[in-house]
Amino acid sequence: MTISKKVKDALSNASWVRRMFEEGEELKRIHGDENVYDFSLGNPNLEPPASLKKALKALADHPIPGMHRYMANSGYGDTRRAVADYLKEESGLPFNEKHVVMTVGAAGGLNVVLKSILDEGEEVIVPCPYFMEFKFYIENSGGDIRLVETNGDFSLNLSEIEKAIGKKTKAILINSPNNPTGVVYNQTSVEKLGELLKKKSRELGKTLYLITDEAYRRIVFDHIKLPIAFRYYPHTIRVTSHSKDLALAGERIGYIAVNPLCEEVDELISAIVFANRTLGFVNAPALMQRLVAPLQKNSVEVREYEDKRDFFYRSLTAFGYEVVKPRGAFYLFPKAPIEDDVAFVRELQSKRILTVPGTGFGKPGYFRIAYAVENRVIEAALPGFKEAAEKHRARKG
Ligand SMILES: Cc1ncc(COP(=O)(O)O)c(C=O)c1O
């Protein structure tokens, strides 16, 4: 065998998201792009703010000497200061640039954090359903994923989390707004999670980390305010990016922020900077660091995603689908009308509608719709969703 056993195993369980996306490409080749309704990949359909393109042109026209060179592994001081100022204003906590490390997206950031804190065989608790890449990121650093069930509405189930915490636990990784459910964890649950982690850290005599993947933080609806986990637990590490909020997914720019209230913040940041370098990222893309610094309070037109959510959610529930109403991100995670989610997704695929089975997120019986697509795609796909629901309703009698 030429490739590693671990990678071979991972490949044979290839990501459902990628599989559906690739099968979709083939369908598009046969039927034409406009006749395939692709809800497989969470790829923002909106464009970055116009101010970003202007700044990019200004930099190209008036380059800053040295702007393409290596820099400190943590990133430009100016950019980290801009992020820290934003976090300070948002949280009321004493953030400064030393608490921030710029990363190659949230994916790069998560790998860096996990490399920094995990020893071989330590566990990271992840509420399920979950973004499947988490498993690979955790295993990249020698850790093991420990899945815990969420409640029926996909909110945090604190008693399940409490039961899962043990000697091997090093961290819990939460993602809100959530991929694949779009669910947002409310203030009470985050506060209680903080209390639980404090209690368990005391009992176990060690530090448990709370890693918050906030890649969708600025994509929230219904005027809700997201809780700020930093306020409720000192050992909180936020990982986020501008892939979704500034629609820069292909540019790979994000950051890690460590709570200034964390006692071992200096050691932790040193480890994070080391891991950023030695995992081979070296530093986050230079051009992007310059461009996002002044845009910390900007985002794409979130209202557009909210309108899509409203329209799609209303239509699906009218057709009889059971769906928890998402409060953020750009995903819907309905229950499949039949037990076998893979069979149901294949059925939709026969109508040229591409979704991803819940099995791909550790939650069979459901399927994910990524609706960051043009409205005409949603409109054109609705009859297919309706037909599929009616067929199974008729069968059940
Ligand atoms: C929950 C979650 N975390 C992390 C990422 C990775 O994002 P990035 O493009 O910032 O690496 C994604 C991407 O879809 C995601 O859905």
Side-chain angles (χ1 to χ4, degrees):
M1 193 187 293
T2 52
I3 64 170
S4 99
K5 218 171 117 359
K6 221 169 161 182
V7 173
K8 199 172 175 87
D9 287 349
L11 287 178
S12 66
N13 298 313
S15 150
W16 270 103
V17 177
R18 281 281 153 191
R19 192 181 301 176
M20 296 310 292
F21 178 72
E22 278 154 24
E23 289 183 20
E25 291 303 294
E26 180 59 16
L27 277 181
K28 285 176 195 168
R29 206 182 50 74
I30 300 168
H31 300 282
D33 277 11
E34 65 289 0
N35 297 314
V36 177
Y37 316 121
D38 189 352
F39 305 102
S40 63
L41 201 64
N43 207 359
N45 69 309
L46 304 180
E47 289 298 320
S51 57
L52 184 131
K53 293 188 185 168
K54 238 196 215 158
L56 182 59
K57 186 164 183 322
L59 264 180
D61 290 343
H62 308 284
I64 300 165
M67 69 187 226
H68 300 295
R69 293 182 193 151
Y70 287 128
M71 68 190 77
N73 300 118
S74 52
Y76 289 126
D78 286 356
T79 307
R80 290 185 291 126
R81 240 181 324 276
V83 172
D85 287 348
Y86 170 77
L87 292 171
K88 190 172 168 183
E89 194 179 321
E90 181 198 62
S91 66
L93 297 171
F95 277 98
N96 65 43
E97 74 223 51
K98 90 169 187 200
H99 303 114
V100 176
V101 175
M102 301 308 296
T103 61
V104 178
L110 286 166
N111 274 286
V112 166
V113 168
L114 293 163
K115 185 77 183 171
S116 306
I117 63 170
L118 285 178
D119 277 314
E120 200 71 26
E122 288 188 314
E123 286 179 356
V124 179
I125 294 174
V126 175
C128 189
Y130 70 108
F131 177 52
M132 267 295 190
E133 301 294 87
F134 288 166
K135 178 177 180 326
F136 301 118
Y137 300 166
I138 292 165
E139 290 173 357
N140 281 345
S141 290
D144 292 317
I145 191 166
R146 170 90 184 244
L147 295 175
V148 292
E149 283 302 318
T150 47
N151 295 315
D153 60 359
F154 303 124
S155 58
L156 289 177
N157 184 329
L158 291 157
S159 61
E160 285 299 310
I161 294 172
E162 179 158 15
K163 272 193 260 164
I165 296 175
K167 281 203 190 95
K168 287 187 180 167
T169 312
K170 189 58 179 265
I172 170 160
L173 168 53
I174 61 170
N175 165 225
S176 169
N178 185 265
N179 176 8
T181 64
V183 160
V184 167
Y185 301 146
N186 67 22
Q187 164 121 359
T188 313
S189 64
V190 174
E191 214 172 323
K192 284 191 173 157
L193 178 62
E195 289 307 315
L196 174 65
L197 292 177
K198 280 182 207 161
K199 182 181 100 173
K200 286 289 177 184
S201 294
R202 266 196 314 272
E203 275 174 27
L204 293 164
K206 67 177 197 180
T207 301
L208 298 172
Y209 287 104
L210 171 60
I211 307 167
T212 62
D213 175 340
E214 310 204 23
Y216 300 91
R217 181 163 188 100
R218 284 198 227 150
I219 304 179
V220 286
F221 313 141
D222 309 320
H223 308 288
I224 55 170
K225 278 199 118 163
L226 277 188
I228 295 161
F230 290 125
R231 289 193 183 144
Y232 306 113
Y233 191 60
H235 304 287
T236 298
I237 307 171
R238 180 188 290 188
V239 183
T240 187
S241 78
H242 297 297
S243 289
K244 320 288 174 172
D245 59 25
L246 295 177
L248 290 174
E251 302 295 350
R252 317 303 307 131
I253 182 73
Y255 65 83
I256 297 164
V258 176
N259 198 340
L261 306 181
C262 178
E263 295 120 52
E264 64 274 20
V265 62
D266 290 340
E267 192 182 20
L268 191 51
I269 288 285
S270 301
I272 286 170
V273 172
F274 171 81
N276 204 31
R277 186 183 99 221
T278 55
L279 283 173
F281 298 119
V282 183
N283 56 250
L287 260 184
M288 285 300 132
Q289 288 195 50
R290 287 195 195 280
L291 294 178
V292 301
L295 296 179
Q296 287 306 303
K297 289 185 181 168
N298 289 49
S299 54
V300 292
E301 200 42 75
V302 172
R303 182 76 221 183
E304 290 198 30
Y305 289 136
E306 186 164 356
D307 288 346
K308 289 181 205 294
R309 187 271 322 246
D310 287 342
F311 176 59
F312 220 151
Y313 174 78
R314 240 191 349 258
S315 306
L316 291 177
T317 48
F319 301 157
Y321 287 93
E322 273 180 56
V323 199
V324 174
K325 191 172 188 179
R327 302 284 173 173
F330 36 62
Y331 305 105
L332 286 151
F333 199 60
K335 201 167 192 175
I338 49 174
E339 214 169 285
D340 185 344
D341 54 315
V342 174
F344 186 69
V345 161
R346 292 289 180 209
E347 193 175 325
L348 290 175
Q349 197 178 356
S350 71
K351 300 175 193 300
R352 286 173 277 110
I353 298 173
L354 305 172
T355 58
V356 180
T359 299
F361 305 94
K363 191 78 181 167
Y366 291 78
F367 65 105
R368 190 192 77 172
I369 299 170
Y371 61 80
V373 298
E374 303 301 322
N375 288 340
R376 61 165 184 81
V377 179
I378 302 175
E379 282 159 20
L382 286 180
F385 280 108
K386 188 167 183 226
E387 257 173 49
E390 280 171 355
K391 176 177 143 191
H392 294 295
R393 196 164 340 117
R395 259 200 207 149
K396 280 180 193 158

